[in-house]
Amino acid sequence: MNPQLRLGVLFSHGHGQTGIFGIWGYRHSVRHSDFEMLMIDEFGSEYAAVLLRDLALTELDDRTGSQALADGIDPREIWLAICRAQNVPEERWLGLNKKPKDKHAE
């Protein structure tokens, strides 16, 4: 599978909805899309999907990220739990530092 695909494609399972939250009937909100992008940026789409599905998060009562989302846990709380469980350096908890595009490039 193309690693450039977003998590949602991996999670849509033919339900006709895109985005990581489509299978649970969530509407796409900024918070959920931010969570999705943080996961993809940090782990890549395929590994992020595996972590979300399989990683039991001790601080969330051993729920997986998928279960926690389905239970209505704040995506920020889930993201931080995944960061701590995967030893993501604290300076990346807000996302990767990306340089703004230079609008006046020569």
Side-chain angles (χ1 to χ4, degrees):
M1 177 169 278
N2 182 342
Q4 298 300 316
L5 292 176
R6 295 174 56 83
L7 283 174
V9 175
L10 296 173
F11 278 85
S12 65
H13 300 291
H15 291 261
Q17 297 176 340
T18 59
I20 191 170
F21 305 102
I23 62 172
W24 297 296
Y26 284 104
R27 292 176 50 99
H28 292 268
S29 71
V30 173
R31 292 221 56 172
H32 288 155
S33 61
D34 287 346
F35 173 72
E36 183 175 355
M37 288 310 302
L38 287 166
M39 291 290 292
I40 292 169
D41 286 349
E42 183 62 39
F43 302 110
S45 61
E46 291 182 21
Y47 187 55
V50 170
L51 288 174
L52 198 59
R53 183 188 67 227
D54 296 338
L55 178 64
L57 299 163
T58 306
E59 63 187 87
L60 298 179
D61 298 324
D62 290 326
R63 292 179 180 102
T64 65
S66 296
Q67 291 167 330
L69 287 167
D71 289 346
I73 304 294
D74 183 352
R76 181 178 186 276
E77 202 175 319
I78 299 165
W79 167 247
L80 294 175
I82 291 171
C83 286
R84 287 187 281 270
Q86 292 300 112
N87 296 315
V88 172
E90 202 166 327
E91 62 268 13
R92 294 202 313 250
W93 289 7
L94 297 177
L96 297 176
N97 292 326
K98 295 181 182 179
K99 293 182 181 179
K101 292 182 181 179
D102 184 7
K103 294 182 182 179
H104 304 288
E106 295 181 272

